Amino acid sequence: NAGVTQTPKFRILKIGQSMTLQCTQDMNHNYMYWYRQDPGMGLKLIYYSVGAGITDKGEVPNGYNVSRSTTEDFPLRLELAAPSQTSVYFCASSYSGQGPYEQYFGPGTRLTVT
Amino acid sequence: GENVEQHPSTLSVQEGDSAVIKCTYSDSASNYFPWYKQELGKRPQLIIDIRSNVGEKKDQRIAVTLNKTAKHFSLHITETQPEDSAVYFCAGHTNTGNQFYFGTGTSLTVIP
């Protein structure tokens, strides 16, 4: 199993540009999450999904959108990038069942908006 | 929503000494408390977790204790080694929204 994979690893955007961060997991996990981690800080939840077709906002959803058309994929869309969105973005997945259970994190995407 | 606070923000210990990191949470409905280790430039990795129906859990040099009444939980690392140097995050999970809330992290340095 590859686990949770994310692309790209690094990206520099200009203010106002858009991009999609890709996240895929091959563990058949029903729960998926997007976090951002600012320097020296903990992880803040942007959006999460409890299954295909279902998404919900986390603590810091403004400026982002998500979709979940399949169990495996959970892309994060940034529209009109702003310098405040400079951060490291982590995708995570977990199985729920009778849980909660451990979250598995992807390697992260380092995004700079200038 | 849940609020998880973590202390201290930095911690330096001599190799072989113990390290303790403490977290408090606000939502009494929180039911699962994982601890993550994050090395520089890497992803968070789970090192130990505890559920709300358990008071203590141990895995070799690492232990976690949970006090539900006081709403706090702690990470204990004994016989610290230089490779324990990293940032450690606590988190709380609440079924309200099925979300994880993270502390702000503790940067642990083990001095050889």
Side-chain angles (χ1 to χ4, degrees):
Chain A
N1 285 355
V4 181
T5 57
Q6 291 181 239
T7 56
K9 284 187 170 49
F10 304 94
R11 184 71 186 267
I12 298 174
L13 279 183
K14 293 192 186 306
I15 294 171
Q17 288 185 319
S18 301
M19 76 165 293
T20 299
L21 282 67
Q22 301 291 347
C23 175
T24 300
Q25 54 91 10
D26 62 0
M27 297 174 282
N28 202 31
H29 286 167
N30 48 342
Y31 282 29
M32 295 188 75
Y33 308 81
W34 273 106
Y35 294 93
R36 60 176 287 172
Q37 185 176 34
D38 298 332
M41 300 297 288
L43 292 96
K44 296 286 188 183
L45 182 65
I46 305 171
Y47 271 95
Y48 68 101
S49 169
V50 301
I54 306 168
T55 62
D56 212 343
K57 295 178 181 178
E59 288 181 84
V60 290
N62 291 345
Y64 307 94
N65 274 300
V66 294
S67 59
R68 182 104 182 263
S69 55
T70 66
T71 299
E72 295 78 17
D73 300 307
F74 190 40
L76 177 72
R77 178 83 178 160
L78 278 73
E79 304 282 1
L80 299 174
S84 60
Q85 293 178 303
T86 294
S87 192
V88 179
Y89 291 83
F90 288 101
C91 178
S93 72
S94 70
Y95 175 69
S96 186
Q98 296 298 315
Y101 294 100
E102 173 185 357
Q103 287 189 308
Y104 292 80
F105 284 87
T109 294
R110 187 174 296 274
L111 176 67
T112 302
V113 182
T114 61
Chain B
E2 171 71 286
N3 182 42
V4 176
E5 295 189 355
Q6 183 172 347
H7 300 280
S9 57
T10 60
L11 180 60
S12 290
V13 298
Q14 292 288 335
E15 182 176 356
D17 286 351
S18 295
V20 181
I21 303 170
K22 298 183 179 181
C23 288
T24 61
Y25 62 98
S26 60
D27 189 346
S28 56
S30 291
N31 57 0
Y32 173 65
F33 305 93
W35 283 91
Y36 293 88
K37 176 183 180 182
Q38 187 177 30
E39 296 173 344
L40 192 62
K42 300 281 182 67
R43 74 190 82 185
Q45 299 268 17
L46 181 76
I47 55 171
I48 196 166
D49 55 14
I50 192 166
R51 299 186 187 278
S52 57
N53 58 348
V54 175
E56 184 174 359
K57 184 176 178 181
K58 218 172 179 182
D59 183 3
Q60 299 183 345
R61 297 186 297 109
I62 294 173
V64 56
T65 57
L66 171 65
N67 182 326
K68 283 198 304 182
T69 303
K71 292 188 205 156
H72 67 70
F73 56 111
S74 300
L75 177 71
H76 305 252
I77 306 174
T78 58
E79 300 170 27
T80 52
Q81 301 165 3
E83 50 265 38
D84 293 331
S85 296
V87 178
Y88 292 81
F89 292 97
C90 63
H93 175 276
T94 170
N95 282 335
T96 307
N98 289 291
Q99 298 185 29
F100 287 84
Y101 293 86
F102 284 78
T104 49
T106 296
S107 178
L108 173 64
T109 302
V110 179
I111 304 163

